[in-house]
Amino acid sequence: MARIELVNLRKTYGSVLAVRDLNCVIEDGEFVVFVGPSGCGKTTTLRLIAGFEEPDRGEIRIDGRVVNDLEPRDRGLGMVFQSHALFPHKTVAQNIEFGLRMKKVPRDERARRVREVAEMVRLTPLLNKLPGACSGGESQRVALARTLVTNPSTFLLDEPLSSLDAKLRRELRAECDRLHQELKKTFIFVTHDQEEAMTLADRIVVMRDGDIEQVGSPMEIYAEPVSDFVADFFGSPSMNLVSGEIVADNGAPRFRSPHFSLALPPEAVGEAPTGSVTLGIRPEHVRVQREVGAAADLTLPVRLVEPLGKDTLLYFDIGAERPFIAVTEGLALAELDAGERVGLTLTRDRLVLFAADGKRVTRHPVGARQ
Amino acid sequence: MAEALAGAATGTAAPGRLDASRSKAVRRFKWMILSPLLLMLLSLLTPVLLLQLYFSFHQWTVYLSSWWNADFVGLDIFQSVFTDPRFGWAVLRSLAFAGGSTIGCFVLGFSLAYLIYRPFRGQALYYALFIVPMLTVPIVIAYTGQMLLDRSGPLNDILSRLTGHDIQVLWLSNPDIALLTVTLLDIWNWTPFSFIIMLAGLSSLPKEPVEAAQILGASSWRIFWEVQLPLLRPVILLALVLRFLDAMGSFPIIWGLLQGGPGTATETLGIYIYITTWQDFNVSLGAAQSYVTMVMMVGIVLLAIRLLRREKRSLDTMYAKPQEAEETA
Amino acid sequence: MTKTRRRRVAAAGRYAFLTLWAVIVVFPLYWIVSTSFKPSDQWFSWPPVYFPSPPTLDNYRDVWIGATSVAEGGQTALSLQTPFLALRNSLILAFGATALAVLYGSVIAYGVSRYRLLSETRMFQLLMLRMVPPIVIVAPLSLYFSYLGLLDSMFGLGVMYFLTSLPYAVWMTKSFIDEVPREVEQAAEILGASRWRTVFEVVLPLIRSGLVATFMFILILNWSEYLLSLILSKTNIVTLPVELSKFEGSTEGRLFGRQAALSVGITFPLIIIGLFIRKHLARGFSFGMVRR
């Protein structure tokens, strides 16, 4: 059993408040991902849990027991570091068995367990190599094995895939997933990559400037973001965000921006009927029609066409900083020429409005493809 | 010329033209850099070494006017060097001094570096203070030592006050402890050197393996012994070797403080050679002694080079980037 | 013991040890300074005087300005008036030889770093050359120099300082040059710079702080150098350390106060310089044994 509770955690570095009154519960066996931009406090939180940093205030509890005063080695945790942190002068096998030696496990059993774990992560041919001779992916697997073999109740992973190239990252991601399902232990994973968060997590904790912005399952985070920050962070390509204001037009709410205006269904507006807002619509909810008809919400020339194979991305300039993006399936629209005008329609029940403070005001879910 | 043009036309690289002119330019560049040095070494070192060799085989003392008329005496002078017990003692004293200084500097320097390398309040001040002895001119240390270590000097005074006994150690006039005294002064002088080298080594150690070891259950001692120390071996060796070699040739501190005395208590190799050559004016004996010393030092130096290179190699393998390490998955 | 208690005990122990060594470091220096301000009756009194009362500038005046009222014969009087000369000589020799050694040494280091001018073996041999005690060649050296007329000359001693500084100069600057990415030079080459120009206008400016650190370290060595200057100088080019040793043979007893005043002048400029470059010292001292 390894239920971890973070209670009112606060950590300051000099004048920087890294973690701000954090409260969070991580259930036994969960795969929790802490995600957010650089400097949001996710790594600090992980290091507080591990015991490498001491909180200024608050408690860390493992299975109900307060562990603030315990050294990292007494907390029963395992950790994988971003730089894999292997001992460069020891062989892979010596690296893996290190934790067992510290626990004074007898030699035969050590050798056996090392072999088992090496099989589990497919490292057997590398056992006598030095870390310097291993590639990035291999090194990270050694780091995993080194932690695995000690059988901790909880695994802490600090951006373990960030130093790998895209292909390796996907492979090791699958590896982590597989391990979690096999071992059924608690995994606390820190990353800045929203894709990793979405694919690996049972629950995502979105952090921003030391605070928790939102906690939820990947679906909840994607479909019901609590703020424009969360909505923007998740999803690739990101949600289109257009600033404007809500005006009453003969009693019906209307969204008006310098670039276009739109009649809004009343349920989209929620509790903030007037004022400045940000309109959000995910690229996959923007329908593109080649034939310019009156039915389109806006008609714009295509600036850039990106055929990706599975989808095609279309970029439009609506006069804002970021381009307006629409995603269409397949390569049907891949032959569009830049400058060609097309009609765009925004799916009404996928529209979302964010108030001036960033909080979402629409009540219905805004994510997930049809 | 034709082949080059033909090569250019077809787009294939005709090997030679660019490479040849580049390597010629590089060679000229290298030659231009190195020649002044070679010239200086040749015009200075070679005659001096030959002269020294000459004196080892020809008996000459300064009173005789023309040195090129000195008598050839074969290996006699060398023989007298090897049968001279005073020379043997000088060698032993040099080794003791150098060894003592090296170990002392290392133990102190490492301890200080280890206590300091992680940030804490006052770190900068301590660091600045600890460097200072190395910046002090050795001859000044010697003469200051004379003032401090006098029988009725401040050191004995402080020790007396601290312990309540009347302490009157004869730091400078007791032949049994004179060598120790001068070794302690040398340690004071050069600890910062080892300190800085070890500090550089400790600071360059990667932090994350230490944390990984912590969470895997290792105690601080374990971590030091198994994770940090092995990576520090090259740096430690460097600190030891450099200090030892330097201490073997130490002159100003010993000469300034005691001139090899009392008696011959602090007569190390360098001192003995100096006395032989410039006080006894026995140039030939001094020359032979110098050659023996040179050979000995070269031997030690070669050994040191071998050790250091081995450490550098192991560092290179540990930190090598795997060029085309294939995924074995 | 809880974590915090253990931490506090360890911290106290650490401070105790560090402060002890700090006191050991500072005390001799304090002694020199305080002695330099002592009137002559307090130079070697028993019990030792730790704080001069009243402090006086006589020693400084006598040593550095040379207005001595003590009547002494020949040798001693002469030595008391030459500290300034020795200062001048030390300045010229130390700064000049060091500057040239760093300049030339960094060019050699560049050749080694980029073009394998010297093999690894040769590099180590170069360093070890410096390690053989200079005493073993000073005798024939002085004879050789006297024939060349270089004895007691700035040039002669300067050349020796230059040569003995080179190994350190090469090794230390090489470690700095190694850290400059090759692309920078390749960019210069494509833009038309010759090799020499690349060295002087691109690479060396980039390692400015490393050059300064190297310069200061070698300066310390040359400034403190004793043996070569003792043997190879007679009257013209006495350097400060040799000048100080003249107090040893002084006929009027130990002039501790004046000796201290001279020592302060010799030592403290160096300490100040060294403190300025302390941030860079560690980088230059790795000799290839430290990886970042």
Coordinates of all heavy atoms in Angstrom, one line a residue, chain C residues 110 184-186 188-189 193-205:
Chain C
Y110 N 46.8 26.2 -28.6 CA 45.9 26.1 -29.7 C 46.3 25.1 -30.7 O 45.5 24.3 -31.2 CB 45.8 27.5 -30.4 CG 44.9 27.6 -31.6 CD1 43.5 27.6 -31.4 CD2 45.4 27.5 -32.9 CE1 42.7 27.6 -32.5 CE2 44.6 27.5 -34.0 CZ 43.3 27.6 -33.8 OH 42.4 27.6 -34.9
V184 N 33.0 27.8 -34.1 CA 33.3 29.3 -34.1 C 34.5 29.5 -35.0 O 34.5 30.5 -35.8 CB 33.6 29.7 -32.7 CG1 34.0 31.2 -32.7 CG2 32.4 29.5 -31.8
E185 N 35.5 28.7 -35.0 CA 36.6 28.9 -35.8 C 36.3 28.6 -37.3 O 36.8 29.3 -38.2 CB 37.8 28.0 -35.4 CG 38.3 28.3 -34.1 CD 39.0 27.1 -33.5 OE1 40.0 26.6 -34.2 OE2 38.6 26.6 -32.5
Q186 N 35.5 27.6 -37.5 CA 35.1 27.3 -38.9 C 34.3 28.4 -39.5 O 34.5 28.7 -40.7 CB 34.3 26.0 -38.9 CG 35.2 24.7 -38.6 CD 34.4 23.5 -38.2 OE1 33.1 23.6 -38.1 NE2 35.0 22.4 -38.1
A188 N 34.8 31.5 -38.8 CA 35.7 32.5 -39.1 C 36.5 32.1 -40.4 O 36.8 33.0 -41.2 CB 36.7 32.7 -37.9
E189 N 36.8 30.8 -40.5 CA 37.5 30.4 -41.7 C 36.7 30.6 -43.0 O 37.2 31.1 -44.0 CB 37.9 28.9 -41.5 CG 38.8 28.5 -42.6 CD 39.1 27.0 -42.5 OE1 38.9 26.4 -41.4 OE2 39.4 26.4 -43.5
A193 N 39.1 34.3 -42.7 CA 40.2 34.6 -41.8 C 41.3 33.5 -41.9 O 41.1 32.4 -42.1 CB 39.7 34.6 -40.3
S194 N 42.5 34.0 -41.8 CA 43.7 33.1 -41.8 C 43.8 32.4 -40.5 O 43.1 32.8 -39.5 CB 45.0 33.8 -42.1 OG 45.3 34.6 -41.0
R195 N 44.6 31.4 -40.4 CA 44.7 30.7 -39.1 C 45.2 31.6 -38.0 O 44.7 31.6 -36.9 CB 45.7 29.5 -39.2 CG 45.1 28.4 -39.8 CD 45.9 27.1 -39.7 NE 45.2 26.1 -40.5 CZ 45.3 26.0 -41.8 NH1 46.1 26.8 -42.4 NH2 44.6 25.1 -42.5
W196 N 46.2 32.4 -38.3 CA 46.8 33.3 -37.2 C 45.7 34.3 -36.8 O 45.6 34.5 -35.6 CB 48.0 34.0 -37.8 CG 49.2 33.1 -37.9 CD1 49.7 32.7 -39.1 CD2 50.0 32.6 -36.9 NE1 50.7 31.8 -38.9 CE2 51.0 31.8 -37.5 CE3 50.0 32.7 -35.5 CZ2 51.9 31.1 -36.8 CZ3 50.9 32.0 -34.8 CH2 51.9 31.3 -35.4
R197 N 45.0 34.8 -37.7 CA 43.9 35.7 -37.3 C 42.9 35.1 -36.5 O 42.4 35.7 -35.5 CB 43.3 36.3 -38.6 CG 42.6 37.6 -38.4 CD 42.1 38.1 -39.7 NE 42.9 39.0 -40.4 CZ 42.9 40.3 -40.1 NH1 42.1 40.8 -39.3 NH2 43.7 41.1 -40.8
T198 N 42.5 33.9 -36.8 CA 41.5 33.1 -36.0 C 42.0 33.0 -34.6 O 41.3 33.2 -33.7 CB 41.3 31.7 -36.6 OG1 41.2 31.8 -38.0 CG2 40.0 31.1 -36.0
V199 N 43.3 32.7 -34.4 CA 43.8 32.5 -33.1 C 43.7 33.8 -32.3 O 43.1 33.8 -31.2 CB 45.3 32.1 -33.1 CG1 45.8 32.0 -31.7 CG2 45.4 30.7 -33.8
F200 N 44.2 34.9 -32.9 CA 44.3 36.1 -32.1 C 43.0 36.9 -32.0 O 42.8 37.6 -31.1 CB 45.4 37.0 -32.7 CG 46.8 36.4 -32.3 CD1 47.5 35.9 -33.3 CD2 47.2 36.5 -31.0 CE1 48.8 35.3 -33.0 CE2 48.5 35.9 -30.7 CZ 49.2 35.4 -31.7
E201 N 42.2 36.8 -33.1 CA 41.0 37.6 -33.0 C 39.7 36.8 -32.6 O 38.7 37.4 -32.2 CB 40.7 38.2 -34.4 CG 41.6 39.4 -34.7 CD 41.1 40.2 -35.9 OE1 39.9 40.2 -36.2 OE2 42.0 40.7 -36.6
V202 N 39.7 35.5 -32.7 CA 38.5 34.8 -32.4 C 38.7 34.0 -31.1 O 38.0 34.1 -30.2 CB 38.1 33.9 -33.6 CG1 36.9 33.0 -33.2 CG2 37.8 34.7 -34.8
V203 N 39.7 33.1 -31.1 CA 39.8 32.1 -30.0 C 40.2 32.8 -28.7 O 39.6 32.6 -27.7 CB 40.7 31.0 -30.4 CG1 40.8 30.0 -29.3 CG2 40.2 30.3 -31.7
L204 N 41.4 33.5 -28.8 CA 41.9 34.0 -27.6 C 41.0 35.0 -26.8 O 40.8 34.9 -25.6 CB 43.3 34.7 -27.8 CG 44.4 33.7 -28.1 CD1 45.7 34.4 -28.2 CD2 44.4 32.6 -27.2
P205 N 40.3 35.9 -27.6 CA 39.3 36.7 -26.9 C 38.2 35.9 -26.2 O 37.7 36.4 -25.1 CB 38.8 37.6 -28.0 CG 39.8 37.6 -29.0 CD 40.5 36.3 -29.0

